[in-house]
Amino acid sequence: MSKALDGVRILDFTHVQSGPTCTQLLAWFGADVIKVERAGEGDATRGQLRDIPDADSLYFTMLNHNKRSVTLDTKKPSGKRVLETLIKTCDVLVENFAPGALDRMGFTWERIQELNPKMIVASVKGFGPGPYEDCKVYENVAQCAGGAASTTGFDDGPPMVTGAQIGDSGTGLHLALGIVTALYQRNTTGRGQKVLAPMQDAVLNLCRVKLRDQQRLERTHVLKEYPQYPDSHFGDAVPRAGNASGGGQPGWILKCKGWETDPNAYIYFITQGPVWPAVCKVIGEEGWIDDEAYATPAARLLHLKPIFKRIEQWTMSKTKFEAMEILNQYDIPCGPILSMKEIAHDESLRRSGTIVEVDHPVRGKYLTVGNPIKMSDSPTEVTRSPLLGEHTEEVLSELGYGAADIAALRAEKVI
């Protein structure tokens, strides 16, 4: 069965996380991703956070599946000529260098267009045009600048970043969509184009409900579904909302049986309007169904803290999985707080390909995430990440370089 991106060749100049997330997703969909790395060094994450000496780290392997690795010194004239040939034969160049780095290499947008007018150049940058566009940005900086940190945590504590890599991996996902869209448009125009995904922009896109709430706050001076209501004063900016739901359906994280010793013995519980009678019956508070103080969603907003305290008395008598089984019978929205250990051993996630076991020639078997997007006619087979420079000769041969040419490049230490 063919893959969705069969025939698309990606020149991958990305490193660390944001860019590799993007190119790995494209590789999963069938694109031929050629990762260009420095000889002897490679992607910085090959050696970061190593758990096995002299083996590529999990940081690298889990972001570079299904790719081919080529080593190339683009500072040398012969290395530049190889890169020019690659540009001529590839569809997309993806990079997350520091601002201006590609230009300093001698490969400006204009030069790339001379070599290949159909080339799409896709870039991850920390910020778009503006006062910070030349700043280098990492994951947590993006979360802070994109509005996530200021709205995460509890109102009596400092701003917090989330463990989800919304700055790096989130931006990579946005960039992948931009690339596929540009490829589609090229079918009509015949031209390449630049695709830019600033990390600040991507984080803000994921925080749009908070921008929604900022406008609501400025108009009404209160956010009734936030835990500060009705007891606390609202300032002029969206406050941190703890574990409150961002969608208008009141929700909170509640303790379950075993919480005293298990830091993840919790469940997320939503008191959605249509299932409110069922909630009351499950926890043994049938009188709340017709009580004026609890009967409507608007009325309940004044009593959310005692409501969740009472629900928690019930959840604390059940394990999170026992509570899930009961609540799902009544269509009450809920979800267990799953630890990474529980996720790693979840058989259903392995069957769906969301968690995959991969065999590596140096580090052996390890777990990784699979393609989160499932397509019926483009199945994903997750293959291991490449060793440094593993495919250099293979790719050069495809570009028309003979054995003598390759030997000369190796002698020059270009590859």
Side-chain angles (χ1 to χ4, degrees), residues 352-375:
S352 69
T354 302
I355 295 287
V356 181
E357 187 174 72
V358 179
D359 199 2
H360 190 276
V362 180
R363 68 173 301 112
K365 292 183 177 180
Y366 65 95
L367 290 184
T368 187
V369 295
N371 193 341
I373 302 168
K374 313 300 195 280
M375 295 173 63

Side-chain angles (χ1 to χ4, degrees), residues 18-199:
S18 58
T21 297
C22 167
T23 53
Q24 178 172 260
L25 190 61
L26 299 174
W28 279 340
F29 286 131
D32 177 16
V33 176
I34 300 171
K35 186 177 179 74
V36 180
E37 303 183 74
R38 277 194 272 181
E41 298 180 34
D43 190 315
T45 58
R46 284 186 183 270
Q48 286 182 4
L49 305 176
R50 271 193 173 126
D51 57 320
I52 299 175
D54 301 320
D56 288 334
S57 71
L58 288 167
Y59 196 3
F60 176 84
T61 60
M62 294 175 70
L63 285 160
N64 291 281
H65 294 107
N66 297 60
K67 303 178 184 179
R68 297 196 286 173
S69 171
V70 167
T71 53
L72 185 64
D73 186 348
T74 58
K75 294 180 180 179
K76 295 179 179 177
S78 51
K80 273 191 168 57
R81 288 193 292 271
V82 172
L83 179 52
E84 288 176 351
T85 305
L86 282 166
I87 290 173
K88 290 176 182 177
T89 59
C90 289
D91 298 285
V92 185
L93 186 155
V94 190
E95 59 92 13
N96 61 338
F97 292 128
L102 203 59
D103 291 354
R104 291 190 292 273
M105 289 170 58
F107 290 93
T108 62
W109 167 247
E110 291 75 19
R111 177 58 180 148
I112 291 171
Q113 285 290 284
E114 289 175 7
L115 295 167
N116 182 355
K118 290 188 174 184
M119 171 67 78
I120 293 161
V121 177
S123 304
V124 170
K125 293 292 177 279
F127 295 93
Y132 306 117
E133 62 183 307
D134 293 328
C135 295
K136 184 180 285 189
V137 172
Y138 290 93
E139 170 67 46
N140 289 351
V141 175
Q143 290 195 31
C144 293
S150 71
T151 56
T152 302
F154 291 88
D155 61 354
D156 59 353
M160 294 191 71
V161 296
T162 174
Q165 304 290 282
I166 60 175
D168 275 324
S169 287
T171 303
L173 294 171
H174 282 82
L175 188 66
L177 175 59
I179 290 169
V180 172
T181 304
L183 285 168
Y184 184 84
Q185 187 175 16
R186 194 179 70 176
N187 292 333
T188 303
T189 66
R191 300 193 309 272
Q193 62 181 297
K194 290 187 285 187
V195 179
L196 173 64
M199 296 172 73

Side-chain angles (χ1 to χ4, degrees), residues 296-348:
T296 67
R300 289 194 292 275
L301 288 175
L302 295 168
H303 308 286
L304 285 181
K305 291 183 180 71
I307 286 172
F308 280 121
K309 186 174 182 180
R310 175 64 185 91
I311 295 172
E312 190 172 56
Q313 292 176 2
W314 179 83
T315 60
M316 288 172 65
S317 69
K318 309 284 187 296
T319 69
K320 59 189 177 186
F321 299 112
E322 290 170 343
M324 281 286 296
E325 187 173 351
I326 294 169
L327 296 172
N328 281 331
Q329 294 176 27
Y330 297 93
D331 291 327
I332 297 171
C334 58
I337 308 304
L338 295 178
S339 69
M340 280 296 154
K341 181 177 180 180
E342 289 169 319
I343 288 172
H345 292 88
D346 189 314
E347 288 301 321
S348 65

Side-chain angles (χ1 to χ4, degrees), residues 282-300:
V282 166
I283 66 173
E285 294 288 353
E286 287 90 344
W288 283 0
I289 297 174
D290 299 315
D291 189 326
E292 289 185 2
Y294 300 97
T296 67
R300 289 194 292 275

